[in-house]
Amino acid sequence: MDYSALQAELRTLAREKNAVILAHNYQRAEVQDAADFVGDSLGLSRQAAAAEANTILFCGVDFMAETAVILSPEKKVILPELRAGCPMASMVDPAGLQALKDKHPDAAVVTYVNSSAEVKALSDICCTSANAEKVVRSIPADREIIFTPDCNLGAWTARQTGRDIILWEGYCPTHDLIEPSDILEAKEAHPQAKVVVHPECRIEVSLMADAVESTSGMIRFCREDEAQEYIIGTEAGMIHRLEQDVPGKKFYLATRNAVCPNMKLTTLRKAVEALRAGEPVITVPEDIRLKALLAVQRMVEIGR
Ligand code: 13P
Ligand code: SF4
């Protein structure tokens, strides 16, 4: 399918409306190719905070657009598809987190950015898959830690840092379906390939990998590493990104089933229609935003 006319239309609209187009690494290839910046959650949060444009068209899922609003309330943040949520983010609710905090009143709450603004507002610091380890290391060794909502990222980070962490039982349904047997089969089919997985995978899958990285961390690793072939354990959209950014090397999905239906809801046509209409606009109540801002700012400042 030829997307060039729609891509040109989107670029023209972005110029006319002084908008910047941000796209996550899992977006459809034709959407990624029309964006100003494509990246992981941390990179996109930074772009949102630094953007000079007064409108952000966020091609991703709702918590990413909310994070952009938290960081840049003066900008209009448009999410082309309102139904694009994250099931993992929905697995933690403010009342449940408050109850856990009441049981551990001295614990620091580290919340993965894949969460609602209300949950962020109850947290001490947010993290992404790119900096979870650094964030946990920033907490004094004698302080308890509650980690929400991803128990896989939390368990991996506990292992990396040697910290005891109280885990919330959330998970990403897309990464959870990657099985150790998928990795074994892919290794049999591609014996020369290294294995690179996302820390949202189950811990037994992460333990089989040569590298456990955020989506943009995968690009860096595969670019700098000497191998020529990689088995990739994450959402399917990542293959397009790797092929663009690391030309000449070969990438194989650990399983073709790892498709995030929410990420795929944003089509190029919907992006064009949303930018033309100037909606749907994402908002966060100001009292929640101010509380969440502290945790999100700490996450951005701590870096990778
Ligand atoms: P990163 O791109 O930050 O690694 O996150 C992956 C993800 O699941 C986003 O929803
Ligand atoms: Fe959420 Fe998983 Fe989809 Fe990322 S891939 S948006 S964590 S469901």
Side-chain angles (χ1 to χ4, degrees):
M1 172 127 188
D2 182 11
Y3 291 105
S4 51
L6 273 175
Q7 286 170 332
E9 201 177 339
L10 189 62
R11 298 303 324 159
T12 305
L13 277 169
R15 251 192 324 277
E16 284 170 10
K17 298 194 176 245
N18 187 22
V20 64
I21 303 171
L22 306 183
H24 187 265
N25 290 321
Y26 297 160
Q27 287 288 293
R28 293 168 184 268
E30 63 274 17
V31 173
Q32 293 188 26
D33 293 347
D36 292 292
F37 299 101
V38 187
D40 65 0
S41 307
L42 187 62
L44 293 175
S45 298
R46 293 196 143 157
Q47 290 294 344
E52 280 172 12
N54 42 32
T55 297
I56 296 173
L57 182 73
F58 215 121
C59 301
V61 292
D62 57 4
F63 74 81
M64 298 179 172
E66 271 191 0
T67 306
V69 176
I70 291 167
L71 284 162
S72 297
E74 71 291 350
K75 286 171 196 143
K76 180 174 178 176
V77 180
I78 300 171
L79 183 70
E81 173 51 75
L82 270 185
R83 289 173 305 157
C86 168
M88 168 161 42
S90 307
M91 289 179 193
V92 56
D93 62 304
L97 177 55
Q98 187 57 57
L100 187 61
K101 280 176 60 146
D102 292 344
K103 270 205 225 162
H104 302 274
D106 298 323
V109 179
V110 178
T111 290
Y112 192 27
V113 71
N114 298 41
S115 53
S116 67
E118 289 81 356
V119 165
K120 289 182 175 78
L122 288 172
S123 307
D124 294 286
I125 185 164
C126 288
C127 72
T128 74
S129 54
N131 68 4
E133 191 179 326
K134 211 169 169 192
V135 165
V136 164
R137 287 192 197 282
S138 76
I139 294 162
D142 56 353
R143 195 157 175 211
E144 262 191 317
I145 298 176
I146 293 172
F147 192 100
T148 68
D150 187 3
C151 66
N152 291 318
L153 176 63
W156 179 252
T157 309
R159 209 186 147 87
Q160 295 302 100
T161 57
R163 297 290 290 267
D164 238 350
I165 297 181
I166 302 161
L167 300 174
W168 191 271
E169 290 298 314
Y171 64 93
C172 163
T174 301
H175 286 86
D176 192 65
L177 55 73
I178 304 174
E179 303 266 1
S181 59
D182 294 320
I183 306 288
L184 288 177
E185 278 167 33
K187 277 174 82 144
E188 235 173 75
H190 308 288
Q192 309 296 332
K194 281 194 181 167
V195 178
V196 183
V197 309
H198 195 276
E200 286 175 16
C201 289
R202 293 190 214 163
I203 191 104
E204 57 270 31
V205 169
S206 291
L207 287 170
M208 296 170 81
D210 296 287
V212 179
E213 296 281 352
S214 78
T215 56
S216 291
M218 288 180 176
I219 299 169
R220 240 186 327 276
F221 177 84
C222 295
R223 196 183 272 145
E224 290 165 10
D225 185 66
E226 75 288 349
Q228 295 301 309
E229 297 178 41
Y230 300 88
I231 293 157
I232 301 298
T234 195
E235 207 275 342
M238 198 57 214
I239 298 295
H240 176 69
R241 195 68 261 133
L242 285 161
E243 286 174 347
Q244 299 303 302
D245 290 355
V246 195
K249 293 195 177 184
K250 287 197 174 135
F251 301 99
Y252 314 106
L253 269 181
T255 165
R256 283 203 257 169
N257 298 336
V259 175
C260 174
N262 296 282
M263 282 284 180
K264 300 302 187 248
L265 283 174
T266 302
T267 60
L268 194 54
R269 185 169 295 284
K270 274 188 198 155
V272 168
E273 282 165 6
L275 191 52
R276 189 184 296 121
E279 57 180 23
V281 173
I282 300 300
T283 56
V284 176
E286 189 60 6
D287 55 331
I288 304 279
R289 187 189 76 78
L290 286 172
K291 286 187 201 148
L293 179 63
L294 295 173
V296 172
Q297 248 169 356
R298 287 182 186 131
M299 166 188 97
V300 172
E301 278 161 14
I302 216 161
R304 284 181 202 278

